[in-house]
Amino acid sequence: MFGIKSKRESSMKETIRYLAGIAGPSGFGSNSTAEQVTQHCSLFIPSNLTALITGATSGIGAETARVLAKRGVRVVVGARDMKKAMKVKEKIQEESPYAEVILLEIDLSSLASVQRFCSEFLALELPLNILINNAGVYSHNLEFSEEKIELTFATNYLGHFLLTKMLLEKMIDTANKIGIQGRIINISSVIHSWVKRSCFCFKDMLTGKNYNGTRAYAQSKLAMILHVKEMARQLKARNARVTINAVHPGIVKTGIIRAHKGLITDSLFFIASKLLKTTSQGASTTCYVALSQKTEGVSGKFFTDCNESSCSRLANDESEAKKLWNNTNNLLHKRLRQAAIGSSSSLYS
């Protein structure tokens, strides 16, 4: 009983801190904007840093790209819609004329697209200091990727897993060459805690069994944290100069929230919308973890409102993280091998 009471009191304190915008140990809180949390970072940011951001054509991703570019970081935007990406680039360069923004096409739901993207990026022979796995989708109805994998899981988790895997050695190499620690950031959500262990079955998530849009989204966000936990362990074992952390941006009025609107009444949505963060507030935690000196050397953590926070018991389960990692690796190895065989066969047909 004491444990339950203590947890409730802690939750109440967190809610009050969020609503009041009270700053945490980092000096920032729920009301802090991306520009505010990076205001003094530019004094310490080395020149020629390169950040790769997925899903930066709108919302939090676009704001993250804008602020990083404003702080002098070269920004590579991985986008599915290149017309939207061009508009983001133009807007960034209107504000920051000397900003270097590179656009590359990627569809995170497609393993083949992720592979092409990585090949194109690596061919540029740029350094890679920061990788922000930001892109995300919410689908009310059951949909599948071109590889016949449930779309939400394929886009939000699998695509980013493969992207990170294919670019990791570049990040480690960059860190060793210039002596600056690389940083990987997975965008997650507090709703990862809604997922019960009995509902976190790899095979069912791939097939969309008993599909529910909100549950699928929460499962993908839990997977992103488990990815962080296992990868942080592996990076530490390798003594690699790269960290990885997960971020909850807060509830922001973005396309994903609008997609959820159909699940609640207009009146409830109106009330909830008053508690939503602005896009700049939503991008603040990502920018803080990406550039702050205070996050140097911090790895395997979950951040909310620019401060370290706690995640669910399931998200902290090392065995679950390792199991998900192995299942994902095995799946990707099998699918990519099949694709390679199919491609070579078509050459001789």
Side-chain angles (χ1 to χ4, degrees):
M1 288 293 291
F2 177 78
I4 295 174
K5 183 179 178 182
S6 177
K7 187 174 289 187
R8 285 176 179 168
E9 288 177 349
S10 176
S11 178
M12 182 64 72
K13 286 179 181 178
E14 287 181 10
T15 301
I16 293 172
R17 186 182 295 116
Y18 172 81
L19 294 174
I22 299 171
S26 70
F28 302 110
S30 62
N31 288 345
S32 301
T33 66
E35 287 203 27
Q36 288 171 343
V37 304
T38 59
Q39 189 172 9
H40 302 296
C41 290
S42 55
L43 299 174
F44 311 103
I45 297 173
S47 59
N48 298 322
L49 283 188
T50 301
L52 194 163
I53 311 171
T54 64
T57 55
S58 63
I60 297 168
E63 177 66 3
T64 300
R66 182 188 73 82
V67 172
L68 293 189
K70 186 173 184 176
R71 301 308 179 209
V73 178
R74 178 194 291 119
V75 174
V76 179
V77 173
R80 185 176 56 180
D81 189 326
M82 295 302 283
K83 288 184 179 179
K84 285 185 178 180
M86 182 56 72
K87 289 180 180 179
V88 169
K89 178 178 179 177
E90 290 171 354
K91 189 174 180 180
I92 289 174
Q93 292 182 329
E94 281 178 15
E95 180 183 9
S96 307
Y98 298 104
E100 186 176 355
V101 182
I102 299 168
L103 309 179
L104 293 175
E105 187 174 3
I106 185 172
D107 178 355
L108 268 300
S109 73
S110 164
L111 301 180
S113 177
V114 174
Q115 284 184 298
R116 283 194 300 270
F117 173 88
C118 290
S119 295
E120 290 173 8
F121 174 77
L122 293 173
L124 296 176
E125 297 186 348
L126 293 172
L128 182 57
N129 308 94
I130 302 166
L131 172 60
I132 301 176
N133 292 319
N134 169 81
V137 298
Y138 168 85
S139 179
H140 183 58
N141 299 313
L142 176 60
E143 298 180 68
F144 291 95
S145 70
E146 63 183 39
E147 283 98 359
K148 309 303 180 186
I149 297 170
E150 190 279 309
L151 188 65
T152 303
F153 195 67
T155 305
N156 297 1
Y157 169 66
L158 278 180
H160 284 125
F161 185 102
L162 179 59
L163 179 72
T164 305
K165 181 182 178 71
M166 293 188 70
L167 297 180
L168 181 59
E169 295 309 315
K170 164 59 76 172
M171 292 197 73
I172 293 174
D173 183 58
T174 298
N176 289 337
K177 282 182 178 178
I178 66 175
I180 299 172
Q181 193 173 64
R183 301 184 184 191
I184 303 169
I185 301 165
N186 280 4
I187 306 304
S188 184
S189 171
V190 291
I191 74 166
H192 78 271
S193 62
W194 297 3
V195 181
K196 296 178 181 179
R197 190 180 297 273
S198 60
C199 295
F200 197 70
C201 172
F202 190 72
K203 184 178 179 181
D204 290 348
M205 290 186 288
L206 293 178
T207 61
K209 183 179 180 181
N210 300 321
Y211 186 79
N212 173 279
T214 301
R215 183 175 61 216
Y217 185 77
Q219 288 169 332
S220 72
K221 293 305 179 180
L222 171 60
M224 289 294 270
I225 298 179
L226 290 170
H227 176 229
V228 163
K229 296 294 184 178
E230 175 59 18
M231 190 164 185
R233 185 192 68 78
Q234 293 185 18
L235 289 169
K236 183 178 180 181
R238 291 182 60 179
N239 289 317
R241 302 187 68 175
V242 176
T243 62
I244 181 168
N245 291 288
V247 161
H248 167 59
I251 306 174
V252 185
K253 198 179 296 186
T254 64
I256 286 177
I257 290 297
R258 286 192 291 273
H260 276 81
K261 185 179 177 181
L263 304 179
I264 57 178
T265 66
D266 287 345
S267 58
L268 280 176
F269 184 82
F270 174 79
I271 294 169
S273 68
K274 301 307 175 184
L275 303 176
L276 301 183
K277 287 186 173 186
T278 65
T279 303
S280 189
Q281 289 170 340
S284 64
T285 306
T286 302
C287 290
Y288 173 78
V289 176
L291 296 182
S292 176
Q293 284 188 309
K294 293 180 180 179
T295 56
E296 177 77 20
V298 177
S299 194
K301 303 299 182 181
F302 180 61
F303 284 80
T304 303
D305 298 331
C306 301
N307 290 276
E308 282 187 41
S309 185
S310 58
C311 47
S312 71
R313 181 177 296 180
L314 184 55
N316 278 316
D317 189 322
E318 290 184 9
S319 63
E320 196 69 44
K322 189 172 292 187
K323 182 170 74 172
L324 177 63
W325 180 281
N326 289 336
N327 283 335
T328 306
N329 251 339
N330 291 337
L331 172 74
L332 291 177
H333 178 75
K334 181 180 178 181
R335 292 297 181 96
L336 296 177
R337 187 168 177 271
Q338 288 174 343
I341 293 172
S343 177
S344 61
S345 297
S346 65
L347 293 175
Y348 297 100
S349 62

